[in-house]
Amino acid sequence: FWLKRIWLGGLTASDPQPLIAMAARYAIPTMIVPEGTVVPEKVQLKMARDKTLSEEKAAAVKAKAVAHTEQRESLKKRTQEYEKEYTDHQKKLIDLRREAKLGGNFFVEPGGNTEQRESLKKRTQEYEKEYTDHQKKLIDLRREAKLGGNFFVEPEAKLLFVVRIVGIIKLSPKPRKVLQLLRLKQLHNGVFLKVNKPILQMLKLVQPYVTYGYPSLKTVRALVYKRGYGKVSKQRIPLSDNQIISDKLGEKQGIHGVEDLVHEIYTVGPHFKQAANFLWPFKLSAPRGGFKRREAKLGGNFFVEPEAKLLFVVRIVGIIKLSPKPRKVLQLLRLKQLHNGVFLKVNKPILQMLKLVQPYVTYGYPSLKTVRALVYKRGHGKVTKQRIPLTDNQIIADKLGEKGLHGMEDLIHEIYTVGPNFKQAANFLWPFKLSAPRGGFKCKRHGYCEMKGG
């Protein structure tokens, strides 16, 4: 106690910061002297010093209160600016979507490889024109045959989509081998095949075990966009980015995006074999009421969503039977416990690391509402290697004030917009400890992030 008093007593008015920091923490005793008592000289000096310290403490507390009020007002003002920024951004995207839909054009957000994106956008428009011209040509030929009293022979189908409908019970060796060659190793697996004599001979051998048909453009596009996974280094990777396709098929086959892949599959182009083998066999759900023939028409335009910059990754597997390499990657991502969650920036190193731990995590692109709910409800900061709840903006200001982050809304804005101080903000947040979902994790496939033309 006396050491604290001596240290505090050594401070002067020229040291405002320590006084403000220490003012509210230590009490200065008040000495009451009875009347008629002779006060020693040292006691008088002590009383004078306590009086001076009390005045300095009162001034320091007042200055701290004023600074705290100004900081709160400043944070409130910035919060309003952030809200306006979020609203304006959402309105801008809505206007661009409407403009793209009404004009039949494609909108591409700035960023990423602009030249490649523009080239893919141009090719996508050429593909659409090619599909439309082909349909118009068929319609004209049908009308001409009808007016002339002739019969129009539809062009022979070049593409098959085959689905396995029988399991492995009581399956003889020869059909089993044929199904393996067709890559139909599981029930309700589906693959695209080229119509030729060897394929038709093989389908005759497995006729009772499969069903097949001639897919339309809409069916091909829906399968690739919604259920499409690529085979990269013998792993099943969701087609969440055009770069995955470009890295595998871009150099030799000239396929740089999903629309290139759809075009190559639907038209059975010269690189159909490589494109079809790149696609992992589709895992379909069992249809209700059995398999039925459904026809669909092509129509509508596509809006290209802006590239995602933020990921939220959750660990869904424990430590049992975990090999050393994925274990190390999970430690680097700060996912040391089951149901831990962290914010990550979308870049090539992070995506490479996520490929290595694909079976052990789940991830998605959080909205502003999700980021705000996580930080406010589950947010804890890392202060001197301790997990501290974010109950006061001062905790954030003391740790990240030098980076311009003084409160919860500053922290949320830096995380959601992936600002220049994202790394410090994300590392300040302790990995979120989430609860296990009721009923366990459900099978949720990753939707394609960059849609047509991206």
Side-chain angles (χ1 to χ4, degrees), residues 388-428:
I388 305 299
L390 300 180
T391 55
D392 191 355
N393 287 328
Q394 192 62 36
I395 300 172
I396 303 172
D398 292 343
K399 195 70 177 178
L400 301 175
E402 297 178 356
K403 305 296 181 181
L405 307 178
H406 296 278
M408 296 284 277
E409 286 298 326
D410 287 344
L411 185 63
I412 291 169
H413 181 264
E414 192 68 23
I415 293 290
Y416 180 66
T417 59
V418 191
N421 300 311
F422 173 82
K423 181 178 179 181
Q424 293 81 352
N427 288 337
F428 166 72

mmCIF file of all heavy atoms in Angstrom, residues 388-428:
data_model
loop_
_atom_site.group_PDB
_atom_site.id
_atom_site.type_symbol
_atom_site.label_atom_id
_atom_site.label_comp_id
_atom_site.label_asym_id
_atom_site.label_seq_id
_atom_site.Cartn_x
_atom_site.Cartn_y
_atom_site.Cartn_z
ATOM 1 N N ILE A 388 -11.073 -12.589 -22.260
ATOM 2 C CA ILE A 388 -11.800 -11.536 -21.555
ATOM 3 C C ILE A 388 -13.083 -11.211 -22.327
ATOM 4 O O ILE A 388 -13.036 -10.939 -23.533
ATOM 5 C CB ILE A 388 -10.936 -10.263 -21.430
ATOM 6 C CG1 ILE A 388 -9.588 -10.590 -20.768
ATOM 7 C CG2 ILE A 388 -11.673 -9.188 -20.645
ATOM 8 C CD1 ILE A 388 -9.707 -11.146 -19.371
ATOM 9 N N PRO A 389 -14.252 -11.233 -21.682
ATOM 10 C CA PRO A 389 -15.493 -10.870 -22.381
ATOM 11 C C PRO A 389 -15.482 -9.393 -22.778
ATOM 12 O O PRO A 389 -14.986 -8.540 -22.027
ATOM 13 C CB PRO A 389 -16.589 -11.180 -21.353
ATOM 14 C CG PRO A 389 -15.905 -11.159 -20.034
ATOM 15 C CD PRO A 389 -14.505 -11.627 -20.283
ATOM 16 N N LEU A 390 -16.042 -9.091 -23.941
ATOM 17 C CA LEU A 390 -16.054 -7.714 -24.448
ATOM 18 C C LEU A 390 -17.237 -6.962 -23.855
ATOM 19 O O LEU A 390 -18.241 -6.671 -24.505
ATOM 20 C CB LEU A 390 -16.124 -7.727 -25.979
ATOM 21 C CG LEU A 390 -14.977 -8.439 -26.698
ATOM 22 C CD1 LEU A 390 -15.169 -8.375 -28.205
ATOM 23 C CD2 LEU A 390 -13.645 -7.828 -26.314
ATOM 24 N N THR A 391 -17.118 -6.623 -22.567
ATOM 25 C CA THR A 391 -18.191 -5.930 -21.859
ATOM 26 C C THR A 391 -18.044 -4.427 -21.900
ATOM 27 O O THR A 391 -18.934 -3.707 -21.452
ATOM 28 C CB THR A 391 -18.217 -6.389 -20.393
ATOM 29 O OG1 THR A 391 -16.916 -6.179 -19.808
ATOM 30 C CG2 THR A 391 -18.575 -7.863 -20.306
ATOM 31 N N ASP A 392 -16.900 -3.926 -22.417
ATOM 32 C CA ASP A 392 -16.656 -2.494 -22.434
ATOM 33 C C ASP A 392 -15.814 -2.155 -23.668
ATOM 34 O O ASP A 392 -14.887 -2.894 -24.034
ATOM 35 C CB ASP A 392 -15.924 -2.064 -21.160
ATOM 36 C CG ASP A 392 -15.892 -0.551 -21.006
ATOM 37 O OD1 ASP A 392 -16.343 0.154 -21.933
ATOM 38 O OD2 ASP A 392 -15.412 -0.063 -19.956
ATOM 39 N N ASN A 393 -16.121 -1.022 -24.277
ATOM 40 C CA ASN A 393 -15.337 -0.582 -25.432
ATOM 41 C C ASN A 393 -13.896 -0.262 -25.059
ATOM 42 O O ASN A 393 -13.020 -0.274 -25.921
ATOM 43 C CB ASN A 393 -15.974 0.657 -26.067
ATOM 44 C CG ASN A 393 -17.243 0.329 -26.815
ATOM 45 O OD1 ASN A 393 -17.369 -0.755 -27.370
ATOM 46 N ND2 ASN A 393 -18.191 1.253 -26.826
ATOM 47 N N GLN A 394 -13.652 0.021 -23.773
ATOM 48 C CA GLN A 394 -12.302 0.393 -23.355
ATOM 49 C C GLN A 394 -11.325 -0.767 -23.531
ATOM 50 O O GLN A 394 -10.134 -0.555 -23.773
ATOM 51 C CB GLN A 394 -12.323 0.848 -21.887
ATOM 52 C CG GLN A 394 -11.047 1.526 -21.422
ATOM 53 C CD GLN A 394 -10.763 2.801 -22.184
ATOM 54 O OE1 GLN A 394 -11.682 3.533 -22.528
ATOM 55 N NE2 GLN A 394 -9.498 3.062 -22.471
ATOM 56 N N ILE A 395 -11.828 -2.007 -23.414
ATOM 57 C CA ILE A 395 -10.969 -3.190 -23.623
ATOM 58 C C ILE A 395 -10.429 -3.197 -25.053
ATOM 59 O O ILE A 395 -9.246 -3.450 -25.290
ATOM 60 C CB ILE A 395 -11.772 -4.480 -23.341
ATOM 61 C CG1 ILE A 395 -12.276 -4.493 -21.896
ATOM 62 C CG2 ILE A 395 -10.923 -5.715 -23.619
ATOM 63 C CD1 ILE A 395 -13.233 -5.629 -21.592
ATOM 64 N N ILE A 396 -11.306 -2.875 -26.005
ATOM 65 C CA ILE A 396 -10.887 -2.833 -27.410
ATOM 66 C C ILE A 396 -9.968 -1.647 -27.651
ATOM 67 O O ILE A 396 -8.951 -1.756 -28.340
ATOM 68 C CB ILE A 396 -12.120 -2.772 -28.330
ATOM 69 C CG1 ILE A 396 -13.038 -3.968 -28.057
ATOM 70 C CG2 ILE A 396 -11.724 -2.721 -29.793
ATOM 71 C CD1 ILE A 396 -14.366 -3.901 -28.772
ATOM 72 N N ALA A 397 -10.323 -0.505 -27.056
ATOM 73 C CA ALA A 397 -9.519 0.700 -27.269
ATOM 74 C C ALA A 397 -8.103 0.533 -26.721
ATOM 75 O O ALA A 397 -7.129 0.976 -27.340
ATOM 76 C CB ALA A 397 -10.198 1.905 -26.627
ATOM 77 N N ASP A 398 -7.957 -0.107 -25.555
ATOM 78 C CA ASP A 398 -6.624 -0.299 -24.973
ATOM 79 C C ASP A 398 -5.762 -1.197 -25.839
ATOM 80 O O ASP A 398 -4.538 -1.021 -25.913
ATOM 81 C CB ASP A 398 -6.755 -0.903 -23.569
ATOM 82 C CG ASP A 398 -7.384 0.076 -22.588
ATOM 83 O OD1 ASP A 398 -7.402 1.278 -22.898
ATOM 84 O OD2 ASP A 398 -7.856 -0.374 -21.533
ATOM 85 N N LYS A 399 -6.384 -2.183 -26.515
ATOM 86 C CA LYS A 399 -5.618 -3.165 -27.288
ATOM 87 C C LYS A 399 -5.417 -2.741 -28.740
ATOM 88 O O LYS A 399 -4.344 -2.958 -29.312
ATOM 89 C CB LYS A 399 -6.349 -4.512 -27.241
ATOM 90 C CG LYS A 399 -5.517 -5.701 -27.695
ATOM 91 C CD LYS A 399 -4.419 -6.023 -26.710
ATOM 92 C CE LYS A 399 -3.639 -7.261 -27.143
ATOM 93 N NZ LYS A 399 -2.544 -7.552 -26.223
ATOM 94 N N LEU A 400 -6.465 -2.143 -29.336
ATOM 95 C CA LEU A 400 -6.418 -1.827 -30.765
ATOM 96 C C LEU A 400 -6.580 -0.343 -31.060
ATOM 97 O O LEU A 400 -6.810 0.042 -32.215
ATOM 98 C CB LEU A 400 -7.524 -2.603 -31.506
ATOM 99 C CG LEU A 400 -7.485 -4.130 -31.405
ATOM 100 C CD1 LEU A 400 -8.706 -4.737 -32.071
ATOM 101 C CD2 LEU A 400 -6.223 -4.692 -32.039
ATOM 102 N N GLY A 401 -6.468 0.490 -30.022
ATOM 103 C CA GLY A 401 -6.647 1.929 -30.229
ATOM 104 C C GLY A 401 -5.630 2.520 -31.184
ATOM 105 O O GLY A 401 -5.931 3.464 -31.925
ATOM 106 N N GLU A 402 -4.412 1.966 -31.162
ATOM 107 C CA GLU A 402 -3.384 2.481 -32.067
ATOM 108 C C GLU A 402 -3.754 2.250 -33.525
ATOM 109 O O GLU A 402 -3.287 2.965 -34.418
ATOM 110 C CB GLU A 402 -2.044 1.804 -31.763
ATOM 111 C CG GLU A 402 -1.515 2.110 -30.365
ATOM 112 C CD GLU A 402 -0.211 1.371 -30.093
ATOM 113 O OE1 GLU A 402 0.200 0.582 -30.977
ATOM 114 O OE2 GLU A 402 0.379 1.594 -29.027
ATOM 115 N N LYS A 403 -4.580 1.225 -33.803
ATOM 116 C CA LYS A 403 -5.031 0.923 -35.160
ATOM 117 C C LYS A 403 -6.318 1.665 -35.529
ATOM 118 O O LYS A 403 -6.887 1.441 -36.595
ATOM 119 C CB LYS A 403 -5.267 -0.586 -35.319
ATOM 120 C CG LYS A 403 -4.079 -1.455 -34.950
ATOM 121 C CD LYS A 403 -2.909 -1.202 -35.869
ATOM 122 C CE LYS A 403 -1.736 -2.102 -35.506
ATOM 123 N NZ LYS A 403 -0.569 -1.840 -36.381
ATOM 124 N N GLY A 404 -6.793 2.520 -34.627
ATOM 125 C CA GLY A 404 -8.015 3.268 -34.904
ATOM 126 C C GLY A 404 -9.282 2.541 -34.561
ATOM 127 O O GLY A 404 -10.369 2.953 -34.987
ATOM 128 N N LEU A 405 -9.195 1.451 -33.787
ATOM 129 C CA LEU A 405 -10.378 0.681 -33.381
ATOM 130 C C LEU A 405 -10.629 0.938 -31.906
ATOM 131 O O LEU A 405 -9.845 0.518 -31.049
ATOM 132 C CB LEU A 405 -10.162 -0.810 -33.637
ATOM 133 C CG LEU A 405 -9.728 -1.192 -35.062
ATOM 134 C CD1 LEU A 405 -9.491 -2.692 -35.158
ATOM 135 C CD2 LEU A 405 -10.750 -0.753 -36.076
ATOM 136 N N HIS A 406 -11.733 1.635 -31.602
ATOM 137 C CA HIS A 406 -12.005 2.048 -30.224
ATOM 138 C C HIS A 406 -13.292 1.462 -29.668
ATOM 139 O O HIS A 406 -13.657 1.793 -28.537
ATOM 140 C CB HIS A 406 -12.084 3.574 -30.147
ATOM 141 C CG HIS A 406 -10.788 4.254 -30.490
ATOM 142 N ND1 HIS A 406 -9.750 4.408 -29.593
ATOM 143 C CD2 HIS A 406 -10.363 4.787 -31.663
ATOM 144 C CE1 HIS A 406 -8.744 5.023 -30.183
ATOM 145 N NE2 HIS A 406 -9.082 5.270 -31.444
ATOM 146 N N GLY A 407 -13.999 0.645 -30.416
ATOM 147 C CA GLY A 407 -15.255 0.108 -29.907
ATOM 148 C C GLY A 407 -15.722 -1.080 -30.722
ATOM 149 O O GLY A 407 -15.088 -1.505 -31.694
ATOM 150 N N MET A 408 -16.880 -1.618 -30.322
ATOM 151 C CA MET A 408 -17.419 -2.822 -30.951
ATOM 152 C C MET A 408 -17.740 -2.594 -32.427
ATOM 153 O O MET A 408 -17.433 -3.428 -33.282
ATOM 154 C CB MET A 408 -18.683 -3.261 -30.213
ATOM 155 C CG MET A 408 -18.452 -3.670 -28.774
ATOM 156 S SD MET A 408 -17.698 -5.289 -28.628
ATOM 157 C CE MET A 408 -19.131 -6.316 -28.755
ATOM 158 N N GLU A 409 -18.340 -1.437 -32.746
ATOM 159 C CA GLU A 409 -18.709 -1.187 -34.133
ATOM 160 C C GLU A 409 -17.475 -0.988 -35.011
ATOM 161 O O GLU A 409 -17.476 -1.371 -36.182
ATOM 162 C CB GLU A 409 -19.639 0.028 -34.219
ATOM 163 C CG GLU A 409 -21.054 -0.244 -33.747
ATOM 164 C CD GLU A 409 -21.735 -1.307 -34.588
ATOM 165 O OE1 GLU A 409 -21.473 -1.373 -35.802
ATOM 166 O OE2 GLU A 409 -22.541 -2.076 -34.038
ATOM 167 N N ASP A 410 -16.419 -0.382 -34.447
ATOM 168 C CA ASP A 410 -15.163 -0.291 -35.204
ATOM 169 C C ASP A 410 -14.634 -1.690 -35.522
ATOM 170 O O ASP A 410 -14.177 -1.973 -36.637
ATOM 171 C CB ASP A 410 -14.107 0.473 -34.390
ATOM 172 C CG ASP A 410 -14.412 1.962 -34.333
ATOM 173 O OD1 ASP A 410 -15.230 2.418 -35.140
ATOM 174 O OD2 ASP A 410 -13.831 2.653 -33.487
ATOM 175 N N LEU A 411 -14.688 -2.576 -34.518
ATOM 176 C CA LEU A 411 -14.205 -3.945 -34.699
ATOM 177 C C LEU A 411 -15.039 -4.701 -35.734
ATOM 178 O O LEU A 411 -14.505 -5.384 -36.615
ATOM 179 C CB LEU A 411 -14.235 -4.677 -33.353
ATOM 180 C CG LEU A 411 -13.657 -6.090 -33.302
ATOM 181 C CD1 LEU A 411 -12.169 -6.065 -33.619
ATOM 182 C CD2 LEU A 411 -13.885 -6.702 -31.920
ATOM 183 N N ILE A 412 -16.373 -4.551 -35.663
ATOM 184 C CA ILE A 412 -17.265 -5.224 -36.610
ATOM 185 C C ILE A 412 -17.019 -4.708 -38.021
ATOM 186 O O ILE A 412 -16.953 -5.487 -38.980
ATOM 187 C CB ILE A 412 -18.736 -5.012 -36.195
ATOM 188 C CG1 ILE A 412 -19.033 -5.779 -34.897
ATOM 189 C CG2 ILE A 412 -19.694 -5.456 -37.295
ATOM 190 C CD1 ILE A 412 -20.354 -5.426 -34.273
ATOM 191 N N HIS A 413 -16.851 -3.399 -38.158
ATOM 192 C CA HIS A 413 -16.607 -2.823 -39.490
ATOM 193 C C HIS A 413 -15.299 -3.337 -40.079
ATOM 194 O O HIS A 413 -15.227 -3.656 -41.266
ATOM 195 C CB HIS A 413 -16.580 -1.295 -39.365
ATOM 196 C CG HIS A 413 -16.362 -0.597 -40.669
ATOM 197 N ND1 HIS A 413 -15.119 -0.178 -41.087
ATOM 198 C CD2 HIS A 413 -17.226 -0.271 -41.667
ATOM 199 C CE1 HIS A 413 -15.216 0.395 -42.272
ATOM 200 N NE2 HIS A 413 -16.476 0.353 -42.653
ATOM 201 N N GLU A 414 -14.266 -3.431 -39.249
ATOM 202 C CA GLU A 414 -12.960 -3.905 -39.741
ATOM 203 C C GLU A 414 -13.042 -5.366 -40.162
ATOM 204 O O GLU A 414 -12.447 -5.769 -41.171
ATOM 205 C CB GLU A 414 -11.907 -3.727 -38.641
ATOM 206 C CG GLU A 414 -10.473 -3.910 -39.100
ATOM 207 C CD GLU A 414 -10.025 -2.805 -40.027
ATOM 208 O OE1 GLU A 414 -10.617 -1.707 -39.990
ATOM 209 O OE2 GLU A 414 -9.084 -3.046 -40.806
ATOM 210 N N ILE A 415 -13.801 -6.186 -39.411
ATOM 211 C CA ILE A 415 -13.932 -7.608 -39.743
ATOM 212 C C ILE A 415 -14.776 -7.779 -41.008
ATOM 213 O O ILE A 415 -14.380 -8.471 -41.950
ATOM 214 C CB ILE A 415 -14.575 -8.374 -38.568
ATOM 215 C CG1 ILE A 415 -13.625 -8.405 -37.349
ATOM 216 C CG2 ILE A 415 -14.940 -9.797 -38.987
ATOM 217 C CD1 ILE A 415 -12.415 -9.264 -37.521
ATOM 218 N N TYR A 416 -15.938 -7.128 -41.069
ATOM 219 C CA TYR A 416 -16.879 -7.356 -42.170
ATOM 220 C C TYR A 416 -16.342 -6.845 -43.500
ATOM 221 O O TYR A 416 -16.537 -7.468 -44.542
ATOM 222 C CB TYR A 416 -18.219 -6.677 -41.858
ATOM 223 C CG TYR A 416 -19.255 -6.858 -42.931
ATOM 224 C CD1 TYR A 416 -19.769 -8.121 -43.214
ATOM 225 C CD2 TYR A 416 -19.712 -5.775 -43.679
ATOM 226 C CE1 TYR A 416 -20.718 -8.300 -44.206
ATOM 227 C CE2 TYR A 416 -20.653 -5.944 -44.674
ATOM 228 C CZ TYR A 416 -21.156 -7.208 -44.926
ATOM 229 O OH TYR A 416 -22.082 -7.384 -45.921
ATOM 230 N N THR A 417 -15.653 -5.694 -43.466
ATOM 231 C CA THR A 417 -15.118 -5.129 -44.707
ATOM 232 C C THR A 417 -13.722 -5.640 -45.023
ATOM 233 O O THR A 417 -13.156 -5.278 -46.058
ATOM 234 C CB THR A 417 -15.076 -3.598 -44.614
ATOM 235 O OG1 THR A 417 -14.243 -3.207 -43.505
ATOM 236 C CG2 THR A 417 -16.475 -3.032 -44.416
ATOM 237 N N VAL A 418 -13.142 -6.491 -44.136
ATOM 238 C CA VAL A 418 -11.777 -7.008 -44.310
ATOM 239 C C VAL A 418 -10.837 -5.826 -44.585
ATOM 240 O O VAL A 418 -10.213 -5.714 -45.644
ATOM 241 C CB VAL A 418 -11.690 -8.058 -45.445
ATOM 242 C CG1 VAL A 418 -10.345 -8.765 -45.416
ATOM 243 C CG2 VAL A 418 -12.804 -9.088 -45.318
ATOM 244 N N GLY A 419 -10.785 -4.916 -43.598
ATOM 245 C CA GLY A 419 -9.998 -3.697 -43.728
ATOM 246 C C GLY A 419 -8.503 -3.939 -43.610
ATOM 247 O O GLY A 419 -8.032 -5.071 -43.473
ATOM 248 N N PRO A 420 -7.725 -2.850 -43.622
ATOM 249 C CA PRO A 420 -6.254 -2.990 -43.558
ATOM 250 C C PRO A 420 -5.752 -3.563 -42.245
ATOM 251 O O PRO A 420 -4.653 -4.110 -42.196
ATOM 252 C CB PRO A 420 -5.764 -1.550 -43.764
ATOM 253 C CG PRO A 420 -6.926 -0.681 -43.406
ATOM 254 C CD PRO A 420 -8.147 -1.442 -43.780
ATOM 255 N N ASN A 421 -6.538 -3.440 -41.177
ATOM 256 C CA ASN A 421 -6.132 -3.976 -39.870
ATOM 257 C C ASN A 421 -6.925 -5.232 -39.518
ATOM 258 O O ASN A 421 -7.140 -5.532 -38.335
ATOM 259 C CB ASN A 421 -6.316 -2.909 -38.779
ATOM 260 C CG ASN A 421 -5.494 -1.666 -39.049
ATOM 261 O OD1 ASN A 421 -4.295 -1.756 -39.329
ATOM 262 N ND2 ASN A 421 -6.124 -0.507 -38.999
ATOM 263 N N PHE A 422 -7.362 -5.968 -40.555
ATOM 264 C CA PHE A 422 -8.166 -7.176 -40.315
ATOM 265 C C PHE A 422 -7.385 -8.216 -39.510
ATOM 266 O O PHE A 422 -7.945 -8.860 -38.614
ATOM 267 C CB PHE A 422 -8.599 -7.772 -41.651
ATOM 268 C CG PHE A 422 -9.282 -9.110 -41.528
ATOM 269 C CD1 PHE A 422 -10.623 -9.191 -41.201
ATOM 270 C CD2 PHE A 422 -8.581 -10.297 -41.705
ATOM 271 C CE1 PHE A 422 -11.252 -10.418 -41.075
ATOM 272 C CE2 PHE A 422 -9.200 -11.525 -41.585
ATOM 273 C CZ PHE A 422 -10.545 -11.575 -41.271
ATOM 274 N N LYS A 423 -6.115 -8.397 -39.819
ATOM 275 C CA LYS A 423 -5.322 -9.423 -39.141
ATOM 276 C C LYS A 423 -5.266 -9.170 -37.639
ATOM 277 O O LYS A 423 -5.486 -10.075 -36.824
ATOM 278 C CB LYS A 423 -3.912 -9.454 -39.736
ATOM 279 C CG LYS A 423 -3.006 -10.518 -39.124
ATOM 280 C CD LYS A 423 -1.645 -10.521 -39.800
ATOM 281 C CE LYS A 423 -0.727 -11.577 -39.165
ATOM 282 N NZ LYS A 423 0.611 -11.584 -39.801
ATOM 283 N N GLN A 424 -4.978 -7.904 -37.246
ATOM 284 C CA GLN A 424 -4.904 -7.582 -35.822
ATOM 285 C C GLN A 424 -6.273 -7.735 -35.154
ATOM 286 O O GLN A 424 -6.368 -8.229 -34.029
ATOM 287 C CB GLN A 424 -4.378 -6.152 -35.621
ATOM 288 C CG GLN A 424 -2.931 -5.961 -36.044
ATOM 289 C CD GLN A 424 -2.740 -5.761 -37.529
ATOM 290 O OE1 GLN A 424 -3.685 -5.913 -38.302
ATOM 291 N NE2 GLN A 424 -1.518 -5.428 -37.946
ATOM 292 N N ALA A 425 -7.343 -7.318 -35.865
ATOM 293 C CA ALA A 425 -8.690 -7.424 -35.287
ATOM 294 C C ALA A 425 -9.098 -8.882 -35.102
ATOM 295 O O ALA A 425 -9.646 -9.268 -34.062
ATOM 296 C CB ALA A 425 -9.693 -6.690 -36.180
ATOM 297 N N ALA A 426 -8.822 -9.727 -36.125
ATOM 298 C CA ALA A 426 -9.203 -11.140 -36.032
ATOM 299 C C ALA A 426 -8.384 -11.868 -34.968
ATOM 300 O O ALA A 426 -8.909 -12.724 -34.251
ATOM 301 C CB ALA A 426 -9.024 -11.813 -37.393
ATOM 302 N N ASN A 427 -7.092 -11.540 -34.853
ATOM 303 C CA ASN A 427 -6.258 -12.187 -33.840
ATOM 304 C C ASN A 427 -6.602 -11.715 -32.428
ATOM 305 O O ASN A 427 -6.360 -12.435 -31.454
ATOM 306 C CB ASN A 427 -4.780 -11.919 -34.120
ATOM 307 C CG ASN A 427 -4.285 -12.683 -35.330
ATOM 308 O OD1 ASN A 427 -4.854 -13.700 -35.703
ATOM 309 N ND2 ASN A 427 -3.236 -12.192 -35.964
ATOM 310 N N PHE A 428 -7.146 -10.488 -32.306
ATOM 311 C CA PHE A 428 -7.567 -10.010 -30.984
ATOM 312 C C PHE A 428 -8.766 -10.815 -30.491
ATOM 313 O O PHE A 428 -8.885 -11.079 -29.288
ATOM 314 C CB PHE A 428 -7.920 -8.525 -31.064
ATOM 315 C CG PHE A 428 -8.670 -8.013 -29.866
ATOM 316 C CD1 PHE A 428 -8.032 -7.839 -28.648
ATOM 317 C CD2 PHE A 428 -10.014 -7.721 -29.951
ATOM 318 C CE1 PHE A 428 -8.732 -7.377 -27.540
ATOM 319 C CE2 PHE A 428 -10.724 -7.263 -28.861
ATOM 320 C CZ PHE A 428 -10.068 -7.092 -27.644
#
